Amino acid sequence: MRILLVEDDRKIASFIVKGLKAAGYAVDHAPDGEEGLHLALTQPYDTAIVDIMLPKVDGLTLIGKMRAANVSTPVIILSAKGSVDDRVKGLQTGSDDYLTKPFAFSELLAVSRRSCGGRAGLRKPPA
């Protein structure tokens, strides 16, 4: 299974990448929204984990552009913004799940496993 992580905080990104790799996932990391969007639109992923507050392109814009391009890769938002309004906005933008920071890695792993469950990245929805 292949996961895209779009996270600008190096310490958090390193922690997540190490944990996901130890769990058997292949992980690509993008440190900003622009690079994350490029990877999401050009590479197949089973799941994308996206921060909202990113340099260059914010996470909600990234998700919106993925969905506009018919990229149906499941998206998990991982953000410090944890109000009900923030979570609802994230889900309405097209994400599949929303976790707030700080988070338990076991929870992120469980949500990632559920998201990857048999779904392949870059699939277009049926017409």
Side-chain angles (χ1 to χ4, degrees):
M1 297 293 195
R2 189 171 178 201
I3 295 179
L4 171 62
L5 173 64
V6 188
E7 171 62 64
D8 62 321
D9 184 301
R10 289 181 186 179
K11 193 172 186 179
I12 293 172
S14 176
F15 169 72
I16 293 171
V17 168
K18 285 178 187 174
L20 290 173
K21 285 185 176 184
Y25 292 96
V27 184
D28 291 339
H29 171 239
D32 62 65
E34 185 176 84
E35 185 177 337
L37 180 60
H38 172 73
L39 289 171
L41 296 178
T42 61
Q43 301 294 317
Y45 291 100
D46 296 294
T47 297
I49 300 170
V50 179
D51 188 8
I52 290 179
M53 296 182 290
L54 294 166
K56 298 185 181 179
V57 175
D58 69 85
L60 295 180
T61 300
L62 184 156
I63 295 164
K65 289 184 177 193
M66 285 175 63
R67 297 308 185 227
N70 293 320
V71 176
S72 62
T73 302
V75 176
I76 301 164
I77 291 177
L78 185 61
S79 178
K81 295 177 125 187
S83 74
V84 171
D85 288 342
D86 290 324
R87 293 192 309 266
V88 169
K89 188 174 182 180
L91 293 169
Q92 289 175 336
T93 302
S95 72
D96 298 275
D97 216 326
Y98 195 111
L99 295 177
T100 56
K101 296 174 186 175
F103 61 95
F105 184 78
S106 58
E107 183 180 17
L108 177 63
L109 188 57
V111 170
S112 298
R113 285 183 176 148
R114 183 179 66 214
S115 288
C116 286
R119 294 178 70 176
L122 285 180
R123 291 185 304 151
K124 297 193 179 199

